């Protein structure tokens, strides 16, 4: 007993400065939104439904009260609940909350992490991108000067670093490129799936180059990676989705939000099919969220940013563990 | 043999890849917020010593390799094989020059080395980090030089050639770092 106590590392993963700077980051963030009259909200971390994205593994838990039993899921993001608030007429809202993703551990991942998510009613994607740039500038001002923000479309940045057309899947060209770059694993892993090819090539060849000394915003994702974004009105091959990168690290993901309940339901059903094919656990689609969309989600843009990674960049740490009070390895 | 999934890939883990025993050096979890998760893994092929980078989908598995690093004492060279012994069991292994590799340049009888066994067959030999060896041949030094600057080549009793300071002479015994092949100091008993 004595030795097991002596061997267990009880100390925090980050130093005292880490604690203090996190508090400062939260304070600056709350000031930023207060000054713009965006309302801070809280939504449940536990709910009977959650996202169906096959790429996200959730935590399930059991609620028990006498004979009453219910499976509740720790939320992978507060998106559905916040959209229900928007549909109910909340106006502009933001939330700083924990999000939970099962099995995600690494230098940039912790299964429980802090997410800043906000929605702006009446904003389009480009107005939201302006606000993101303001907020990031606000965060970095006390630390260091950044070069001007870079905005580039997905297909342009993909072409720049791979020479390939992201919007038109040409297996032969993609394979030849992977071969030339000694990335032959791609051929085995991606097969005929355009979206997996994009994920592979983007994460290996494009992302590490992004945002060396500035914030880089990549917008206009291929439609097969639309997630919960609307498709572009002029070009249906492109989704109104934006991702943020600094020093090759993905910081956030935003959408001009899909408001069409039928289209949302189709995307849910497609994701459920994929879950079934891949033998992944099934989850009930969020009927209350769909009902809220049906009653009418105002046109809005929203984005979620991982605050732990922002803190990593601000204080120049190599691992997410260095900015968490107790990382996964220390809980 | 055990099966390991990508989330169990940690530095030092020995796995089979393309029918060769390999050691994981580094494993990075790469996952976009929306999209496929990958593990980018740096791997050393234990047969060839080559380091390669491979990507797996998260959750893929590889078979473990029955590889063990064992401390053994170097006994002697019979011209064809070098003979090593496990100090506690006195069990002996004979290892050919190809497997011993560059390690042979540092071998001195009775030194303790690490012998890597794969399915009980020798795969590689790693010399001790520091070895104490006599200089068998070096040019006479320049009088008065006591610094480490400059230097000259010196051949050691084991066959290795290292750069030593000018004041170090033939017949002297020196300490060498085998990882860098660099002279550390003169050795005094």
């Amino acid at each position: 007993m004595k030795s097991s106590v002596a061997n267990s590392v009880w100390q925090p993963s980050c130093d005292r400065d880490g604690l203090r700077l996190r508090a400062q980051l939260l304070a600056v963030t709350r000031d930023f939104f207060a000054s713009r009259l965006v309302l801070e909200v809280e939504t449940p971390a536990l709910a009977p439904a959650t996202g169906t994205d096959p790429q996200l593994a959730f935590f399930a838990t059991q609620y028990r009260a006498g004979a009453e039993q219910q499976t509740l899921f720790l939320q992978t993001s507060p998106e559905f609940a916040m959209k229900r608030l928007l549909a109910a007429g909340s106006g502009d809202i933001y939330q700083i909350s924990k999000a939970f993703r099962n099995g995600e551990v690494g230098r940039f991942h912790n299964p429980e992490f802090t997410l800043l998510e906000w929605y702006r009613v009446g904003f389009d994607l480009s107005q939201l991108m302006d606000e993101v740039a303001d907020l990031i500038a606000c965060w970095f001002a006390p630390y260091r000067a950044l070069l001007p923000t870079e905005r580039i479309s997905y297909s342009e940045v993909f072409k720049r670093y791979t020479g390939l057309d992201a919007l038109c899947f040409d297996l032969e060209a993609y394979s030849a490129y992977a071969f030339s770059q000694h990335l032959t694993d791609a051929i085995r892993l991606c097969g005929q799936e355009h979206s997996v090819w994009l994920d592979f090539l983007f994460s290996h060849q494009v992302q590490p180059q992004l945002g060396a000394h500035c914030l880089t915003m990549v917008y206009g994702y291929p439609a097969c990676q639309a997630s919960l974004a609307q498709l572009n009105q002029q070009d249906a091959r492109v989704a109104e989705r934006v991702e943020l990168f600094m020093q090759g690290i993905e910081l956030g993901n935003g959408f001009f939000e899909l408001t069409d309940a039928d289209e949302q339901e189709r995307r849910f059903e497609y994701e459920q099919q994929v879950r079934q094919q891949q033998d992944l656990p099934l989850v009930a689609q969020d009927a209350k969220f769909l009902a809220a969309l049906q009653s009418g989600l105002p046109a809005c843009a929203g984005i979620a940013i991982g605050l732990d990674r922002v803190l990593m960049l601000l204080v120049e740490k190599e691992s997410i563990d260095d900015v968490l009070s107790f990382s996964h390895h220390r809980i | 043999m055990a099966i390991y999934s990508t989330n169990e890939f940690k530095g030092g883990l020995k796995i089979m890849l393309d029918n060769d025993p390999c050691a994981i050096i580094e494993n990075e979890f790469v996952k976009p917020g929306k999209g496929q998760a990958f593990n980018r893994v740096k791997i050393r092929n234990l047969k060839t010593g080559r380091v390669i980078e491979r990507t797996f989908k998260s959750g893929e598995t590889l078979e473990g390799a029955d590889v063990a690093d064992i401390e053994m004492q170097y006994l002697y060279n019979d011209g064809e094989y070098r003979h090593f012994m496990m100090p506690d069991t006195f069990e002996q292994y004979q290892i050919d020059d190809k497997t011993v590799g560059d390690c042979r340049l540092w071998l001195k009888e009775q030194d303790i080395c690490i012998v890597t066994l794969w399915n009980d067959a020798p795969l590689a030999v790693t010399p001790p980090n520091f070895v104490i060896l006599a200089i068998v041949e070096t040019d006479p030094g320049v009088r008065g030089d006591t610094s480490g600057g400059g230097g000259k080549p010196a051949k050691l009793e084991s066959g290795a050639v290292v750069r030593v300071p000018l004041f170090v002479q033939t017949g002297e015994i020196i300490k060498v770092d085998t990882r860098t092949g660099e002279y550390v100091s003169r050795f005094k008993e």
Side-chain angles (χ1 to χ4, degrees):
Chain A
M1 186 64 202
K2 248 185 187 161
S3 69
S4 78
V5 170
N7 286 337
S8 62
V9 183
W10 61 269
Q11 288 89 350
S13 332
C14 72
D15 53 20
R16 271 198 71 203
D17 252 6
L19 297 177
R20 191 172 58 77
L21 295 169
R22 173 178 292 264
Q24 200 173 70
L25 175 68
L26 295 176
V28 168
T29 306
R30 291 196 159 100
D31 281 350
F32 178 88
F33 287 110
S35 73
R36 295 181 178 221
L37 305 177
V38 180
L39 184 69
E40 178 164 15
V41 297
E42 283 189 4
T43 58
L46 278 173
T50 190
T52 50
D53 183 342
Q55 311 289 2
L56 292 183
F58 40 73
F59 290 90
T61 183
Q62 285 301 312
Y63 171 75
R64 290 193 189 86
E68 193 193 339
Q69 283 215 17
Q70 194 180 19
T71 300
L72 296 179
F73 301 94
L74 282 166
Q75 297 303 291
T76 53
S77 93
E79 180 154 9
F80 296 167
M82 290 183 80
K83 285 182 177 170
R84 282 165 65 190
L85 292 179
L86 289 160
S90 65
D92 300 327
I93 49 174
Y94 80 97
Q95 172 160 218
I96 298 171
S97 66
K98 284 294 179 76
F100 302 86
R101 297 182 184 180
N102 213 338
E104 299 194 359
V105 177
R107 201 147 71 85
F108 303 106
H109 295 80
N110 198 65
E112 157 180 357
F113 63 100
T114 302
L115 203 59
L116 162 68
E117 181 150 334
W118 80 95
Y119 292 87
R120 289 296 229 143
V121 175
F123 271 32
D124 61 18
L125 201 60
S126 125
Q127 287 170 296
L128 183 71
M129 284 158 73
D130 292 341
E131 186 157 82
V132 167
D134 291 346
L135 176 58
I136 299 249
C138 200
W139 281 335
F140 276 82
Y143 293 88
R144 57 188 182 271
L146 298 174
L147 294 177
T149 298
E150 180 190 24
R151 297 176 183 216
I152 186 164
S153 76
Y154 189 102
S155 58
E156 202 180 324
V157 81
F158 201 77
K159 179 133 234 161
R160 181 189 292 173
Y161 292 111
T162 67
L164 296 168
D165 184 346
L167 299 181
C168 169
F169 182 43
D170 178 346
L171 179 59
E172 213 169 293
Y174 280 38
S175 304
Y177 172 76
F179 199 77
S180 76
Q181 300 296 308
H182 309 289
L183 294 171
T184 44
D185 287 320
I187 297 163
R188 177 177 68 89
L189 296 177
C190 306
Q192 308 272 346
E193 292 175 82
H194 186 195
S195 189
V196 182
W197 270 103
L198 293 176
D199 283 336
F200 188 103
L201 294 178
F202 196 88
S203 62
H204 284 68
Q205 301 295 91
V206 181
Q207 188 176 325
Q209 322 281 343
L210 300 179
H213 304 286
C214 65
L215 168 67
T216 294
M217 299 200 249
V218 177
Y219 62 89
Y221 270 62
C224 63
Q225 304 208 327
S227 196
L228 277 78
Q230 281 195 23
L231 297 186
N232 187 286
Q233 297 284 333
Q234 277 82 48
D235 184 354
R237 297 176 307 162
V238 170
E240 297 276 9
R241 172 178 165 198
V242 63
E243 286 252 359
L244 317 178
F245 300 95
M246 281 181 85
Q247 290 172 33
I249 301 171
E250 180 194 18
L251 288 184
N253 177 70
F255 304 130
F256 182 56
E257 302 292 345
L258 182 66
T259 52
D260 178 343
D262 297 333
E263 171 64 15
Q264 181 65 63
E265 201 170 351
R266 275 195 292 278
R267 290 190 195 176
F268 272 163
E269 275 161 13
Y270 171 73
E271 289 180 341
Q272 292 282 42
Q273 273 172 25
V274 174
R275 280 189 166 270
Q276 217 149 20
Q277 283 160 12
Q278 298 181 358
D279 268 334
L280 295 170
L282 295 180
V283 53
Q285 38 185 15
D286 192 333
K288 294 194 168 89
F289 167 57
L290 284 172
L293 285 190
Q294 227 124 39
S295 101
L297 179 68
C300 63
I303 190 159
I305 295 181
L307 289 186
D308 311 296
R309 291 187 189 168
V310 171
L311 200 52
M312 273 177 73
L313 289 176
L314 286 176
V315 299
E316 298 176 81
K317 296 287 189 189
E318 284 295 304
S319 162
I320 196 166
D321 290 10
D322 302 331
V323 299
L324 296 170
S325 61
F326 298 102
S327 69
H328 183 66
H329 304 290
R330 295 271 175 116
I331 52 174
Chain B
M1 210 50 213
I3 300 286
Y4 297 97
S5 145
T6 51
N7 54 22
E8 298 168 286
F9 290 3
K10 295 203 170 64
L13 181 73
K14 312 290 198 299
I15 43 90
M16 294 298 297
L17 185 67
D18 305 331
N19 300 316
D20 277 353
C22 297
I24 305 280
I25 300 172
E26 209 176 85
N27 174 17
E28 184 133 310
F29 180 63
V30 179
K31 182 178 192 312
K34 316 266 172 195
Q36 175 67 49
F38 300 106
N39 288 71
R40 293 187 76 168
V41 189
K42 265 204 191 122
I43 298 169
R44 173 175 284 111
N45 182 316
L46 294 174
K47 267 172 124 176
T48 63
R50 275 186 56 202
V51 173
I52 52 166
E53 217 176 77
R54 293 286 295 266
T55 300
F56 301 90
K57 272 188 187 173
S58 294
E60 275 195 279
T61 56
L62 289 175
E63 197 186 334
D66 182 10
V67 171
D69 292 327
I70 313 273
E71 281 193 347
M72 291 193 205
Q73 189 174 41
Y74 171 56
L75 297 178
Y76 63 94
N77 178 6
D78 70 7
E80 192 175 356
Y81 293 104
R82 290 175 199 255
H83 295 257
F84 293 79
M85 180 181 72
M86 285 170 66
D88 43 351
T89 64
F90 307 114
E91 193 181 342
Q92 291 194 20
Y93 287 83
Q94 53 176 32
I95 307 180
D96 61 27
D97 266 7
K98 189 169 156 266
T99 306
V100 175
D102 287 346
C103 175
R104 68 182 192 282
L105 295 173
W106 305 110
L107 284 179
K108 195 171 81 174
E109 288 169 12
Q110 288 168 28
D111 272 0
I112 302 290
C113 303
I114 305 283
V115 175
T116 304
L117 297 176
W118 173 41
N119 297 330
D120 208 35
L123 195 62
V125 183
T126 313
N129 289 344
F130 296 101
V131 288
I132 309 295
L133 293 165
I135 296 176
V136 294
E137 194 186 325
T138 187
D139 286 342
V142 179
R143 198 173 273 279
D145 181 272
T146 53
S147 74
K152 59 182 179 179
K155 190 171 178 195
L156 306 180
E157 55 179 317
S158 58
V161 175
V162 297
R163 285 199 80 75
V164 298
L166 297 175
F167 59 80
V168 178
Q169 305 301 335
T170 301
E172 286 195 85
I173 297 172
I174 61 167
K175 182 176 176 183
V176 182
D177 186 331
T178 60
R179 293 161 296 183
T180 56
E182 280 170 10
Y183 165 90
V184 177
S185 62
R186 280 201 278 196
F187 182 74
K188 296 181 196 77
E189 309 250 2

